[in-house]
Amino acid sequence: MDNASTSDPGTGGRRRTGGRAGNARRRGGGSFQQPDWRMIENRDAPTAPLDEAGIEAIHAGAMQVLEEVGVEFLNDEALALFRQAGCHVDGTNVRMGRDWVTEMVAQAPQSFTITPRNPARRIEVGGRTLLFGNVSSPPNYWDMTTGGKVPGTRERCARLLKLSQMFNCIHFIGGYPVEPVDIHPSVRHLDVLFDMLTLTDKVVHAYALGAERVEDVAEMVRIAGGLSEAAFRQTPRMFTNINSTSPLKHDQPMIDGCLRLIRRGQAAMVTPFTLAGAMAPVTMAGAVTLSIAEALSAIALFQYVVPGCPCVIGTFTSNVDMKSGAPAFGTPEYMRATQMTGQMARFYGLPLRSSGVCTANVPDGQAMWETCNSLWAAVQSGTHMVYHAAGWLEGGLIASPEKFVMDCEVLGMIQRYMEPEVVATGEAEIALSAIREVGSSGHYFGIEHTQARYETAFHQPIVSDWRNHEAWAVAGGHWTSERAHLLVLRLLEEYAPPPLDPAIREELASFVERRKREGGAPTDF
Amino acid sequence: MDNASTSDPGTGGRRRTGGRAGNARRRGGGSFQQPDWRMIENRDAPTAPLDEAGIEAIHAGAMQVLEEVGVEFLNDEALALFRQAGCHVDGTNVRMGRDWVTEMVAQAPQSFTITPRNPARRIEVGGRTLLFGNVSSPPNYWDMTTGGKVPGTRERCARLLKLSQMFNCIHFIGGYPVEPVDIHPSVRHLDVLFDMLTLTDKVVHAYALGAERVEDVAEMVRIAGGLSEAAFRQTPRMFTNINSTSPLKHDQPMIDGCLRLIRRGQAAMVTPFTLAGAMAPVTMAGAVTLSIAEALSAIALFQYVVPGCPCVIGTFTSNVDMKSGAPAFGTPEYMRATQMTGQMARFYGLPLRSSGVCTANVPDGQAMWETCNSLWAAVQSGTHMVYHAAGWLEGGLIASPEKFVMDCEVLGMIQRYMEPEVVATGEAEIALSAIREVGSSGHYFGIEHTQARYETAFHQPIVSDWRNHEAWAVAGGHWTSERAHLLVLRLLEEYAPPPLDPAIREELASFVERRKREGGAPTDF
């Protein structure tokens, strides 16, 4: 990992001053302290619920699905490409042999980088790296002020983008943190990408929702980076994420968007949404098998078109509530499906994406146990990119700033958990001389061994309240969501945008203006 | 595991009816469904932050502490025993050689059983078994009715005992779920144990707080089980748990209570409370080293006195908030310390105890992320007995019934997570014929593969609300803690005590009456 920064504003716009390693130092705006932005190294061995036979069974099942059942591709170009590759195309149904699929998928890199406009925020996708992204795409918004579910707007979207920039535990920006329904869909991508590229300096994403949107976003990312077309294509600068239409279907714009981006050297993530008991088998192994088949069919196509192009396999396998048929997230079944998919991703040598998810409607206890379950499953599965890691509620239908900062506390704890110093066992950490010094009386507060380390010894809470009940009550007796609300208000006041060359900002604005004059993108999708 | 029941009342007092395996069947009172009482098999490989050298470093450190610094034993009998064993006793300081310590500790069994008055509730401590116990020992109580922190009472204690009985995910009873300060300390153990042994039929515990209390409780457990003294001694029927007074000190009544119980064939658990930065080194490895030294010094003594007696090594290593010096629980440092101690427990061949803990003052988001962190750390560390797994708040100073049922939801999810069917990959689970049947259109709701499984396919929520925001709002818009409150009220109405021979109940009552007449236990501890 190369953290050498050309510009690393951190929270409050401070610059790096050198000194101790980023993982030990803490800084921040007035409201909280946090470690510098850096990628997390996942040091734990993945949790492996499947034995070798289990992995082989899911692989064999997925291959049989691809060979015998086939996948629908509602995209003429894809059908022609599959035909050209020798696959069996029957109408929109494509069947593909396991040898071809595994040969194609084997070309995908096990890791790659994505470099945003601020190169100090470059992310490495793969290996042992663990990356978190903000909540993406909810149509609705909830905060303690609205007190209810309200539609997303550009202003609410911008608020969540500012938080995404301020928290160093957020490594990349996924989709729109909330859908701004006050902007017409034809030009929505222009306004939100402008906000995204000016309010943040992290890796961004394009929705694969039609040629114009994808090409516009790619162009804006190129402009924001001050890049020539050649430089843009040279290495990934952005990514897209597509979902299949389970069971066993890929839609036109999703495949089109991926093909456009991989041909320009950018990254594609394929995330089937297989809900066990609804659009996938009720058994978790069956739902994972279906998901793997759907993802590999698209990734094989992309590797056929651009051998070696950066791809990520995603998982979004959960279960329904069998009483109502509604989706449930953060369940034990979700955790196991994520871990199982992690084993399959390593079997295929592909980087993995999973999510931070919950079913809860408000940022309460249920929200946090479901979110913790999904985030720890991400860690345990060896996930590289965690989508929706902060701010998600109601199965992805609501984005919430309070939930956002509450989740960032959990992400900060995961980051701290992975720091090698927490489990170091050198002579200084075994601390025999300190143990000798204190003996069986007195305490460790005042001794040199403690004093030399206490500032950075432990996770520094963001929104947790560690006071006793009496002190907490005197200070207002705020529950977590209320404290989170107050913190959000302070953070939004403290927010300062990351540096951006005024000429580039001007060029971005001109591009947006021109494309709006031209009518933006068609809205017949 | 032998679940053959003589009496398995479950929730609502229903009897077993045979049929499918307990892990698939669900029953319960009117308010929720749950699997039958059964022990959990932890199927995951433990998380291992330490490599071999790290384990060796902590072991070497602990041995050096025992050999060179020594541990204070404020118990004359223990000092005499150590002297007799050839250890170096200087006043109350005891230094012991690593060969002797490891030889003694190696005699402890890697697993053993504890059999309560209902033999169907027998627990196995060790191996891959994962067991949960209720919150123990908070002096205060909080619920949504009181709305604030109030003292524990016998009635509040009984409420939590009823919940402990009703939830099948609770395998054993730890200490008093809340300290009933309305009962005089001299007779408190008599009244609470009477409640514990009549309101529940699960394994119980005695506080090591003086000879009379320990012997009284042992006698009541013997009576409740309808056992002769010989039968009582034949196999463990109960246990005690002691804490050292860190750093490096064991108190008189704690050691005395353990010696009394192991001599009567019962189990002893030694749990140092080493708070990094306060009574232990600020480094987690140092705090674990100190904890290991303290625990092994007592366990070695117990093995010297009764070779092969059942012992459990406990961990309660966390960190302080370095701003205030207050303890913090459920932190990333706590998680790593628990995992590291798990590695050391396996190194010594001892069963492990850890806890479900949080710092939060109310059952909110923070409470649940801290509790989830600690419960997942218990799973990851290979913990066998999880103390305080349901109902704990404010660093153990508050017991809460709402928190109790919220925690039981998490425990139920962990239980479900460990069920082999969730990750099964047989032909029926890969579900190729179902995938073929549905193809790329339609859904899986109605097909036979789903219908045959849906009733038991997924975790059944207890207090989670999986409805969408609108349905949830119409139903009252209750946050998790409010739903938990309503559930507690319903459960306490539905509670039915487990069967108990009236003659035994009478004998217990007579014993309590007699011991009260005799004045109970001295209160000069």
Side-chain angles (χ1 to χ4, degrees):
Chain A
M1 296 183 213
D2 177 7
N3 277 336
S5 32
T6 52
S7 139
D8 181 24
T11 303
R14 283 181 186 72
R15 293 186 65 81
R16 291 178 73 110
T17 52
R20 296 181 58 188
N23 57 351
R25 243 164 352 119
R26 296 208 177 90
R27 296 174 319 178
S31 292
F32 76 106
Q33 290 197 306
Q34 61 179 338
D36 288 344
W37 187 96
R38 64 182 188 85
M39 293 181 280
I40 300 169
E41 186 182 345
N42 186 342
R43 291 166 189 278
D44 283 359
T47 302
L50 302 177
D51 57 14
E52 287 304 312
I55 293 172
E56 195 46 58
I58 289 181
H59 170 62
M63 293 302 118
Q64 270 187 281
V65 171
L66 293 176
E67 287 178 340
E68 299 167 22
V69 184
V71 181
E72 303 289 309
F73 278 81
L74 308 184
N75 180 298
D76 289 339
E77 187 185 6
L79 294 172
L81 288 163
F82 277 120
R83 208 172 280 118
Q84 177 189 308
C87 298
H88 192 95
V89 179
D90 184 5
T92 52
N93 178 276
V94 182
R95 288 180 286 131
M96 48 196 94
R98 69 185 68 199
D99 291 347
W100 181 78
V101 171
T102 49
E103 185 194 332
M104 291 301 111
V105 169
Q107 299 179 94
Q110 298 207 11
S111 77
F112 58 88
T113 62
I114 311 180
T115 309
R117 71 171 176 86
N118 177 358
R121 307 285 200 202
R122 181 174 59 222
I123 59 175
E124 180 164 354
V125 181
R128 300 193 72 88
T129 305
L130 173 62
L131 304 164
F132 299 123
N134 59 291
V135 60
S136 301
S137 315
N140 303 296
Y141 181 91
W142 184 101
D143 71 19
M144 299 283 284
T145 310
T146 64
K149 186 174 170 180
V150 295
T153 62
R154 183 173 183 179
E155 194 272 331
R156 289 167 181 153
C157 181
R159 260 185 248 170
L160 291 163
L161 287 173
K162 289 175 183 174
L163 295 177
S164 301
Q165 175 66 13
M166 293 182 92
F167 279 94
N168 289 338
C169 58
I170 301 297
H171 299 97
F172 66 90
I173 312 294
Y176 312 159
V178 70
E179 194 74 36
V181 297
D182 59 344
I183 312 176
H184 192 273
S186 61
V187 297
R188 191 179 293 165
H189 64 290
L190 299 168
D191 282 342
V192 181
L193 260 290
F194 181 83
D195 292 350
M196 208 179 264
L197 291 167
T198 53
L199 297 176
T200 90
D201 62 359
K202 298 178 182 178
V203 164
V204 301
H205 150 281
Y207 287 105
L209 289 172
E212 294 79 2
R213 284 183 185 76
V214 170
E215 300 291 359
D216 282 348
V217 172
E219 191 60 9
M220 290 177 75
V221 170
R222 186 193 66 71
I223 293 169
L227 302 167
S228 66
E229 176 65 19
F232 176 77
R233 285 170 180 262
Q234 195 193 334
T235 186
R237 311 284 181 178
M238 58 178 292
F239 72 103
T240 189
N241 174 68
I242 64 167
N243 305 120
S244 43
T245 307
S246 302
L248 294 172
K249 200 177 288 172
H250 283 288
D251 274 347
Q252 197 282 331
M254 298 281 185
I255 296 296
D256 177 73
C258 287
L259 290 176
R260 286 177 186 279
L261 284 181
I262 60 171
R263 284 169 170 150
R264 288 181 75 181
Q266 308 306 310
M269 190 185 273
V270 184
T271 311
F273 178 18
T274 51
L275 208 51
M279 57 275 242
V282 72
T283 46
M284 299 321 289
V288 169
T289 298
L290 189 74
S291 176
I292 295 291
E294 292 179 1
L296 291 187
S297 68
I299 292 171
L301 173 68
F302 303 155
Q303 294 301 325
Y304 175 72
V305 175
V306 181
C309 69
C311 287
V312 173
I313 190 167
T315 172
F316 214 95
T317 299
S318 194
N319 59 287
V320 295
D321 176 1
M322 288 311 287
K323 281 186 186 157
S324 67
F329 297 101
T331 62
E333 292 82 9
Y334 172 94
M335 295 182 77
R336 285 303 199 190
T338 305
Q339 295 165 353
M340 289 158 78
T341 307
Q343 292 186 270
M344 300 312 299
R346 287 186 291 284
F347 179 79
Y348 296 116
L350 292 168
L352 177 67
R353 169 235 148 139
S354 70
S355 304
V357 289
C358 65
T359 325
N361 290 301
V362 281
D364 61 356
Q366 179 188 336
M368 295 321 297
W369 74 58
E370 291 173 337
T371 300
C372 286
N373 279 357
S374 62
L375 290 175
W376 283 114
V379 169
Q380 294 158 348
S381 64
T383 289
H384 302 97
M385 294 181 82
V386 186
Y387 237 62
H388 310 300
W392 152 305
L393 280 176
E394 203 205 358
L397 295 176
I398 291 177
S400 157
E402 288 88 356
K403 179 69 164 30
F404 194 102
V405 301
M406 289 165 68
D407 290 344
C408 283
E409 178 91 88
V410 178
L411 302 182
M413 288 193 286
I414 293 174
Q415 178 161 343
R416 171 66 184 164
Y417 169 94
M418 288 299 178
E419 283 173 9
E421 66 193 72
V422 182
V423 296
T425 54
E427 202 181 317
E429 288 86 18
I430 297 292
L432 205 67
S433 58
I435 293 174
R436 253 192 253 280
E437 184 181 344
V438 175
S440 59
S441 59
H443 57 73
Y444 287 76
F445 279 121
I447 66 169
E448 167 61 21
H449 184 265
T450 305
Q451 290 299 313
R453 289 168 178 79
Y454 83 90
E455 279 189 20
T456 58
F458 309 125
H459 168 69
Q460 194 90 331
I462 295 169
V463 72
S464 293
D465 193 319
W466 286 353
R467 289 175 291 191
N468 66 24
H469 197 281
E470 289 71 18
W472 167 82
V474 164
H478 297 299
W479 289 43
T480 310
S481 54
E482 298 169 293
R483 296 195 302 272
H485 181 66
L486 298 173
L487 177 58
V488 167
L489 296 181
R490 287 199 303 276
L491 288 176
L492 292 177
E493 283 197 2
E494 290 166 13
Y495 170 81
L500 178 63
D501 182 336
I504 287 181
R505 189 187 171 89
E506 184 48 44
E507 194 181 345
L508 272 177
S510 299
F511 179 85
V512 168
E513 199 186 352
R514 173 171 70 77
R515 290 290 297 123
K516 281 186 175 179
R517 275 201 313 273
E518 292 168 5
T523 54
D524 59 345
F525 59 89
Chain B
M1 298 184 212
D2 177 7
N3 278 336
S5 31
T6 52
S7 140
D8 180 24
T11 304
R14 283 179 187 73
R15 292 188 65 83
R16 290 180 72 110
T17 53
R20 298 183 56 190
N23 57 353
R25 244 168 347 121
R26 297 208 177 89
R27 298 176 316 181
S31 293
F32 75 105
Q33 290 197 305
Q34 61 178 338
D36 287 344
W37 187 94
R38 63 182 188 84
M39 293 181 281
I40 300 170
E41 186 183 344
N42 186 342
R43 290 165 190 279
D44 283 359
T47 301
L50 300 177
D51 57 15
E52 287 305 312
I55 293 171
E56 196 44 60
I58 290 179
H59 170 62
M63 293 302 118
Q64 270 188 280
V65 170
L66 293 176
E67 287 179 339
E68 301 168 20
V69 184
V71 180
E72 302 290 309
F73 278 80
L74 307 184
N75 180 298
D76 289 339
E77 185 185 6
L79 294 172
L81 287 162
F82 277 120
R83 207 173 281 116
Q84 176 189 309
C87 298
H88 191 96
V89 178
D90 183 5
T92 54
N93 179 276
V94 182
R95 286 180 287 131
M96 47 196 95
R98 67 186 67 200
D99 291 347
W100 181 79
V101 171
T102 50
E103 186 194 332
M104 289 302 112
V105 169
Q107 298 178 94
Q110 298 206 10
S111 77
F112 58 89
T113 62
I114 310 181
T115 308
R117 71 171 176 88
N118 177 358
R121 308 286 200 200
R122 180 175 59 224
I123 58 176
E124 180 163 353
V125 181
R128 301 193 72 88
T129 304
L130 173 62
L131 304 164
F132 299 123
N134 60 291
V135 60
S136 302
S137 313
N140 303 297
Y141 181 91
W142 183 101
D143 72 17
M144 300 283 285
T145 309
T146 64
K149 187 174 170 179
V150 295
T153 62
R154 183 172 182 180
E155 194 273 330
R156 289 169 180 152
C157 180
R159 259 184 248 170
L160 291 163
L161 286 173
K162 290 175 182 173
L163 295 177
S164 302
Q165 174 66 12
M166 293 182 92
F167 279 94
N168 289 339
C169 58
I170 300 297
H171 300 97
F172 66 91
I173 312 293
Y176 312 159
V178 71
E179 195 74 35
V181 297
D182 58 344
I183 312 176
H184 191 273
S186 61
V187 297
R188 191 179 293 166
H189 64 291
L190 299 168
D191 283 340
V192 181
L193 260 289
F194 181 84
D195 292 349
M196 208 179 265
L197 290 167
T198 54
L199 297 175
T200 90
D201 63 359
K202 299 179 181 178
V203 164
V204 301
H205 149 280
Y207 288 104
L209 289 172
E212 293 80 3
R213 282 184 186 78
V214 170
E215 300 291 359
D216 282 348
V217 172
E219 192 60 8
M220 290 177 75
V221 170
R222 186 193 65 71
I223 294 169
L227 303 167
S228 66
E229 175 65 18
F232 177 77
R233 287 170 180 262
Q234 195 192 333
T235 185
R237 311 284 182 178
M238 59 177 293
F239 71 103
T240 189
N241 174 67
I242 63 166
N243 305 119
S244 43
T245 307
S246 302
L248 295 173
K249 199 178 290 173
H250 283 289
D251 274 348
Q252 198 282 331
M254 298 282 183
I255 296 297
D256 177 72
C258 287
L259 290 176
R260 286 177 186 278
L261 284 180
I262 61 170
R263 282 169 171 150
R264 288 182 74 182
Q266 309 306 309
M269 191 185 273
V270 184
T271 310
F273 179 19
T274 49
L275 208 50
M279 56 273 240
V282 72
T283 47
M284 299 321 289
V288 169
T289 298
L290 188 74
S291 176
I292 295 291
E294 291 179 1
L296 292 187
S297 68
I299 292 172
L301 172 68
F302 302 154
Q303 294 301 325
Y304 175 73
V305 175
V306 182
C309 68
C311 287
V312 173
I313 188 167
T315 172
F316 214 95
T317 300
S318 194
N319 59 286
V320 295
D321 176 2
M322 290 310 288
K323 280 186 185 156
S324 66
F329 297 101
T331 62
E333 293 81 9
Y334 172 93
M335 295 183 76
R336 286 305 199 190
T338 306
Q339 295 166 353
M340 289 158 77
T341 307
Q343 293 186 272
M344 300 312 299
R346 287 186 291 284
F347 179 79
Y348 296 116
L350 292 169
L352 177 66
R353 168 238 149 138
S354 69
S355 304
V357 289
C358 64
T359 325
N361 291 300
V362 281
D364 61 355
Q366 178 188 337
M368 294 321 296
W369 73 58
E370 290 172 338
T371 300
C372 286
N373 279 356
S374 62
L375 290 175
W376 284 113
V379 170
Q380 295 157 349
S381 64
T383 289
H384 302 97
M385 294 182 82
V386 185
Y387 237 63
H388 310 300
W392 153 304
L393 281 176
E394 202 204 358
L397 295 176
I398 292 178
S400 158
E402 288 89 357
K403 178 69 165 27
F404 194 101
V405 301
M406 289 165 67
D407 290 344
C408 282
E409 177 91 270
V410 178
L411 302 182
M413 289 193 287
I414 293 173
Q415 178 161 344
R416 171 67 185 162
Y417 168 95
M418 289 300 179
E419 283 173 8
E421 66 192 72
V422 182
V423 296
T425 54
E427 202 181 315
E429 287 86 16
I430 297 290
L432 205 66
S433 57
I435 294 174
R436 253 191 253 281
E437 184 182 344
V438 175
S440 58
S441 58
H443 56 72
Y444 288 75
F445 279 121
I447 66 169
E448 168 61 21
H449 184 264
T450 305
Q451 290 298 314
R453 290 168 177 79
Y454 83 91
E455 277 187 22
T456 58
F458 310 126
H459 168 69
Q460 196 91 330
I462 296 169
V463 72
S464 293
D465 193 320
W466 286 354
R467 289 175 292 192
N468 66 24
H469 198 280
E470 289 71 19
W472 167 83
V474 164
H478 297 299
W479 289 43
T480 310
S481 54
E482 298 169 292
R483 296 195 302 272
H485 181 65
L486 297 173
L487 177 59
V488 166
L489 296 180
R490 287 199 304 275
L491 289 175
L492 293 177
E493 284 198 0
E494 291 166 14
Y495 170 83
L500 177 63
D501 182 336
I504 288 182
R505 187 187 172 88
E506 184 48 44
E507 193 180 346
L508 271 178
S510 300
F511 179 84
V512 168
E513 200 187 351
R514 174 172 68 78
R515 290 289 297 123
K516 282 187 174 179
R517 275 201 313 275
E518 292 168 4
T523 53
D524 59 345
F525 60 87

